């Protein structure tokens, strides 16, 4: 079968998911005709993603968050207004996406939580079959817990998720925990996280430093103050600050690195514990490597509040409003109590290939000619 990927480029987790699924598809002899990446000037596309696919990668401009001047908190009002102003650009993006789909004639379009991908499926429902993959779709499972209070942010999160899966013939939700009961939603499945091979083959041990990954570079000031006020704590941090050097060491106990896939996995496997802004995929990778995580959701990003709540429920670590050093001590002291959670997670993650095989069989059984 021939596939085409649409990948939301705002979060690196969606890129990771596409890479893992791509590897499984190619391993079984399927074809990936093209990858369409919804990106913006706010994030640099990592080289490891560009090198992961033996096919063209087309970039389109896709809706994005707007942060405050400190590049820390999400400004929801400004985000809505900025994206409304860019509607002509997004219309051009949908036209470009359609050109790629028409040229490639895929049997299936896999959308990794890109909003324009959902809008495209609504406008052109007969171009192909559409399948969506993402941890956000877990909101459709009965056992999912929403962060409180929800308010307008919760409603916008649910609306965005709904748009991304318009006209989807299959919804695949990713979860840190294995569900004990089926969902009532039609054509809905829950899969374990997409943990990369490079993580699965890493050899973890507990080093003497804390690892930090910050999505928005504005959180660097908070990490700097933590290292400055507690010189006995060693921190290795990764950020996406294009104007800074590859390696930056402002303090003897604090080093910042630009995003580097290989180095990040190496440090994740060696750290004492992991500090994160509650991105789903990196939490899953930390759990696989048996690293407890302190999760501080990006301010104003409701989805990450849900991620932190869900991950804490799964035994991944602790959710917090800031990187509190007292919580770091609590995190490392509670390692033994999380051993069972890590074991259950690993067992659940190892079922990924069987979930994939079951879906592939469903695809083969239901395959019919598609109007182009």
């Amino acid at each position: 079968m021939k596939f085409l990927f649409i990948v939301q480029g705002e979060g690196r987790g969606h890129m990771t998911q596409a890479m893992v699924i791509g590897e499984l598809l190619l391993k079984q002899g399927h074809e990936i005709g093209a990858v369409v990446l919804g990106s913006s000037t706010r994030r640099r596309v990592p080289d490891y993603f560009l090198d992961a696919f033996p096919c063209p990668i087309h970039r389109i401009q896709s809706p994005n968050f707007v942060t405050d001047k400190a590049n820390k908190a999400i400004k929801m009002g400004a985000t809505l207004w900025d994206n409304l102003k860019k509607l002509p650009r997004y219309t051009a993006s949908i036209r470009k996406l359609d050109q790629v789909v028409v040229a490639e004639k895929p049997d299936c379009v896999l959308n990794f939580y890109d909003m324009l991908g959902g809008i495209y499926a609504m406008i052109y429902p007969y171009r192909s079959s559409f399948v969506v993959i993402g941890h956000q779709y877990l909101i459709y499972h009965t056992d999912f817990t929403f962060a409180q209070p929800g308010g307008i942010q919760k409603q916008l999160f649910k609306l965005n998720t709904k748009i991304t899966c318009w006209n989807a013939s299959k919804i695949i939700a990713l979860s840190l925990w294995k569900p004990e009961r089926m969902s009532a939603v039609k054509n809905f499945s829950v899969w374990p996280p997409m943990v990369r091979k490079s993580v699965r083959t890493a050899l973890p041990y507990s080093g003497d430093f804390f690892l930090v990954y910050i999505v928005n570079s504005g959180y660097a000031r908070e990490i700097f103050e933590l290292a400055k006020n507690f010189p006995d704590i060693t921190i290795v941090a990764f950020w996406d600050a294009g104007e800074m050097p590859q390696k930056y060491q402002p303090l003897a106990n604090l080093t910042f690195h630009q995003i580097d896939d290989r180095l990040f996995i190496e440090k994740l496997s060696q750290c004492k514990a992991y500090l994160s802004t509650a991105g789903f995929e990196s939490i899953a990778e930390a759990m696989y490597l048996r690293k407890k995580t302190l999760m501080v959701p990006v301010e104003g990003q409701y989805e990450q509040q849900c991620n932190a709540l869900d991950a804490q429920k799964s035994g991944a670590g602790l959710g917090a409003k800031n990187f509190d050093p007292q919580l770091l001590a609590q995190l490392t002291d509670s390692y033994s109590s999380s051993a069972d959670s890590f074991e259950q997670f690993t067992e659940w993650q190892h079922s990924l290939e069987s979930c994939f095989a079951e879906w592939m069989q469903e695809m083969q059984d239901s395959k019919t000619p598609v109007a182009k």
Side-chain angles (χ1 to χ4, degrees):
M1 295 180 67
K2 187 176 185 179
F3 292 82
L4 185 143
F5 287 7
I6 305 174
V7 185
Q8 192 239 93
E10 170 67 13
R12 297 184 187 278
H14 301 292
M15 299 184 197
T16 297
Q17 293 159 17
M19 290 166 58
V20 174
I21 286 293
E23 183 180 353
L24 290 171
L25 287 171
L26 294 172
K27 184 179 178 181
Q28 289 200 0
H30 298 286
E31 179 185 358
I32 303 172
V35 175
V36 178
L37 180 66
S39 56
S40 70
T41 56
R42 184 166 173 257
R43 298 257 186 253
R44 183 180 66 86
V45 181
D47 292 337
Y48 65 81
F49 179 81
L50 298 176
D51 296 337
F53 297 94
C55 65
I57 297 179
H58 306 270
R59 302 192 203 188
I60 61 173
Q61 188 159 358
S62 191
N64 214 295
F65 287 117
V66 174
T67 61
D68 59 13
K69 291 182 179 179
N71 193 22
K72 186 175 181 181
I74 298 297
K75 299 177 66 176
M76 192 54 65
T79 294
L80 294 171
W81 175 240
D82 184 69
N83 285 309
L84 281 173
K85 290 190 297 182
K86 292 178 179 177
L87 282 177
R89 300 184 192 180
Y90 300 150
T91 300
S93 292
I94 290 176
R95 285 198 298 266
K96 181 177 179 180
L97 172 58
D98 187 49
Q99 291 171 1
V100 177
V101 173
V102 169
E104 294 294 338
K105 296 180 174 59
D107 298 297
C108 177
V109 172
L110 278 180
N111 182 10
F112 295 86
Y113 202 68
D114 188 83
M115 178 185 283
L116 292 189
I119 295 173
Y120 178 80
M122 180 189 68
I123 299 173
Y124 301 103
Y126 303 110
R127 289 285 197 241
S128 182
S129 65
F130 295 88
V131 174
V132 296
I133 299 177
H135 66 274
Q136 293 88 349
Y137 301 116
L138 198 61
I139 67 172
Y140 297 129
H141 195 280
T142 309
D143 295 333
F144 183 80
T145 304
F146 287 97
Q148 298 297 333
I152 186 64
Q153 288 190 353
K154 175 182 176 181
Q155 299 308 316
L156 289 172
F157 172 49
K158 292 174 69 175
L159 175 62
N160 185 73
T161 301
K162 178 64 177 177
I163 291 173
T164 65
C165 63
W166 271 341
N167 282 333
S169 60
K170 177 80 170 179
I171 298 174
I172 299 172
L174 305 179
S175 173
L176 298 173
W177 41 268
K178 183 178 181 180
E180 296 183 357
R181 51 181 169 171
M182 299 292 290
S183 172
V185 178
K186 186 180 179 181
N187 297 322
F188 177 86
S189 295
V190 179
W191 289 13
M194 310 283 184
V195 177
R196 295 170 285 177
K197 182 178 179 181
S198 52
V199 174
R200 299 196 309 270
T201 56
L203 300 176
Y205 67 88
S206 183
D208 61 354
F209 65 92
F210 291 96
L211 179 67
V212 176
Y213 173 64
I214 46 179
V215 176
N216 297 336
S217 58
Y219 281 88
R221 169 55 58 181
E222 189 171 332
I223 299 302
F224 178 86
E225 292 298 328
L226 175 63
K228 180 181 177 181
N229 294 330
F230 297 88
D232 56 322
I233 294 177
T234 301
I235 298 175
V236 175
F238 285 81
W239 61 357
D240 191 359
E243 73 283 1
M244 299 300 291
Q246 194 68 27
K247 181 180 178 181
Y248 173 58
Q249 188 170 5
L251 297 170
N253 63 328
L254 173 62
T255 304
F256 286 96
H257 295 277
Q258 295 285 359
I259 299 299
D260 181 312
D261 186 53
R262 180 198 59 80
L263 185 60
F264 176 79
I265 294 172
E266 176 185 309
K267 296 299 184 182
L268 182 60
S269 68
Q270 298 170 0
C271 68
K272 183 185 300 184
Y274 178 50
L275 284 63
S276 165
T277 47
F280 175 84
E281 286 299 325
S282 64
I283 292 172
E285 292 175 348
M287 289 189 75
Y288 193 90
L289 294 173
R290 297 175 175 263
K291 305 295 181 179
K292 295 282 281 187
T293 303
L294 180 63
M295 297 157 285
V296 179
V298 171
E299 186 179 341
Q301 192 165 349
Y302 178 77
E303 175 196 320
Q304 289 207 347
Q305 296 175 35
C306 293
N307 287 352
L309 182 65
D310 198 56
Q312 183 168 305
K313 182 175 68 174
S314 304
L318 300 172
K321 293 185 177 180
N322 53 59
F323 296 109
D324 188 335
Q326 293 183 343
L327 292 178
L328 296 182
Q330 182 180 340
L331 199 69
T332 51
D333 289 345
S334 64
Y335 173 80
S336 59
S337 64
S338 61
D340 288 345
S341 297
F342 290 153
E343 192 67 36
Q344 291 170 10
F345 173 84
T346 302
E347 183 179 347
W348 167 229
Q349 201 286 320
H350 285 170
S351 69
L352 175 62
E353 290 204 21
S354 63
C355 291
F356 174 80
E358 184 178 334
W359 171 55
M360 282 284 92
Q361 189 60 55
E362 289 177 8
M363 292 281 288
Q364 295 289 352
D365 292 345
S366 62
K367 186 179 178 183
T368 56
V370 177
K372 305 296 183 185

